[in-house]
């Protein structure tokens, strides 16, 4: 049993380690695919890894916050899907921000995918020729902006998620029926355990019935597999 700050810090530490390793793997995969220069090293490697690290840490801690607040794992999965789908649709890539309706265009501001895509596109197209930038501008209707401002926006999103996760952790663990790391029903709840099949007694008093041992075996097989017998 841990206190709320210790439990939150342990989950944050685990998320940071996972995000750092995943960001390193994805950077090694995407770096040659995007066609970033190998020399001089590190070139854009550090920037690409940094934005992947911030984005993955935000996603992992967002999932943690939803999981702590939701009453069950099924409810948490539904909540994450209900939030992630609008995020993806309003990230500003498909469709572009300029094509979003005024009633939904504001959704790309509190959006992890929006800032991550802006950072990725800016890193990838910064310093490219005008033809490449024209494709980005005409097709995606995206204009290269301030990379530092995009990093700051993603960092702010991560800070908000961490604050919400900490508050949710305090609120959930403040309930008397829960403690950090505990799973299952609340304390004091009555648990009913079904009687195992091996303890079921069979009555074979009718005439013409099989022997008790064979009948018991057949009946038990019928209970375990309704397709038998």
């Amino acid at each position: 049993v841990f206190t709320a700050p210790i439990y939150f810090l342990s989950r944050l530490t685990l998320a940071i380690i996972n995000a750092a390793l995943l960001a390193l793997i994805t950077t090694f995969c995407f770096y040659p695919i995007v066609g970033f220069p190998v020399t001089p090293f590190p070139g854009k490697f550090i920037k690409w890894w940094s934005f992947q690290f911030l984005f993955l840490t935000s996603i992992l801690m967002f999932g943690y916050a939803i999981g702590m607040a939701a009453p069950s794992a099924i409810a948490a999965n539904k909540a994450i899907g209900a939030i992630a789908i609008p995020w993806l649709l309003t990230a500003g890539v498909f469709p572009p921000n300029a094509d979003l309706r005024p009633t939904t265009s504001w959704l790309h501001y509190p959006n992890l995918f929006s800032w991550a895509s802006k950072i990725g596109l800016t890193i990838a197209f910064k310093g490219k020729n005008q033809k490449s930038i024209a494709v980005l501008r005409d097709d995606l209707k995206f204009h290269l902006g301030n990379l530092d401002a995009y990093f700051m926006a993603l960092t702010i999103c991560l800070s908000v998620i961490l604050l919400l996760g900490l508050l949710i952790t305090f609120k959930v663990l403040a309930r008397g029926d829960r403690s950090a790391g505990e799973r299952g029903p609340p304390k004091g709840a009555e648990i009913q355990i079904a009687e195992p099949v091996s303890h079921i007694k069979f009555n074979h008093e009718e005439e013409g019935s099989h022997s008790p041992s064979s009948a018991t075996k057949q009946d038990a097989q019928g209970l375990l597999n309704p397709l038998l017998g």
Side-chain angles (χ1 to χ4, degrees):
V1 178
F2 305 99
T3 61
I6 297 300
Y7 184 70
F8 177 79
L9 289 176
S10 65
R11 297 301 297 266
L12 176 59
T13 302
L14 183 61
I16 289 175
I17 295 174
N18 287 334
L21 294 176
L22 291 175
L24 190 62
I25 294 173
T26 55
T27 301
F28 273 115
C29 294
F30 281 100
Y31 202 85
I33 294 176
V34 177
F36 289 146
V38 179
T39 56
F41 188 83
K44 297 181 178 181
F45 188 91
I46 299 300
K47 293 181 180 179
W48 191 270
W49 177 88
S50 299
F51 112 79
Q52 289 280 332
F53 171 73
L54 286 174
F55 175 70
L56 292 172
T57 304
S58 302
I59 290 295
L60 291 174
M61 293 307 297
F62 174 76
Y64 161 77
I66 296 297
M68 287 292 291
S72 64
I74 296 177
N77 289 331
K78 292 180 179 179
I80 291 175
I83 298 174
I85 292 176
W87 268 359
L88 291 172
L89 295 177
T90 59
V93 180
F94 303 106
N97 286 330
D99 293 340
L100 293 176
R101 295 183 178 181
T103 55
T104 58
S105 61
W106 62 272
L107 290 174
H108 80 277
Y109 290 107
N111 191 331
L112 295 174
F113 294 94
S114 175
W115 299 113
S117 62
K118 288 180 179 180
I119 294 174
L121 291 173
T122 302
I123 295 175
F125 283 87
K126 197 74 171 180
K128 296 292 184 179
N129 56 45
Q130 293 299 321
K131 185 176 181 180
S132 300
I133 296 177
V135 171
L136 182 66
R137 181 183 62 249
D138 299 336
D139 294 347
L140 293 181
K141 300 178 182 179
F142 179 83
H143 298 273
L144 297 179
N146 190 332
L147 185 61
D148 294 335
Y150 295 155
F151 266 106
M152 182 62 67
L154 187 58
T155 304
I156 292 174
C157 291
L158 174 59
S159 302
V160 173
I161 290 174
L162 292 179
L163 179 60
L164 290 177
L166 182 60
L167 294 177
I168 291 173
T169 303
F170 270 103
K171 183 177 180 180
V172 172
L173 298 186
R175 299 190 321 216
D177 58 345
R178 287 297 181 194
S179 60
E182 182 184 359
R183 295 293 184 269
K187 295 179 180 178
E190 184 178 353
I191 302 176
Q192 296 181 353
I193 302 177
E195 186 177 6
V197 176
S198 59
H199 290 177
I200 299 177
K201 297 180 180 179
F202 300 95
N203 187 7
H204 303 282
E205 295 180 354
E206 298 180 0
E207 295 182 358
S209 62
H210 299 287
S211 62
S213 58
S214 60
T216 302
K217 183 182 298 183
Q218 292 176 0
D219 291 341
Q221 291 177 348
L223 289 172
L224 293 175
N225 190 348
L227 298 179
L228 299 176

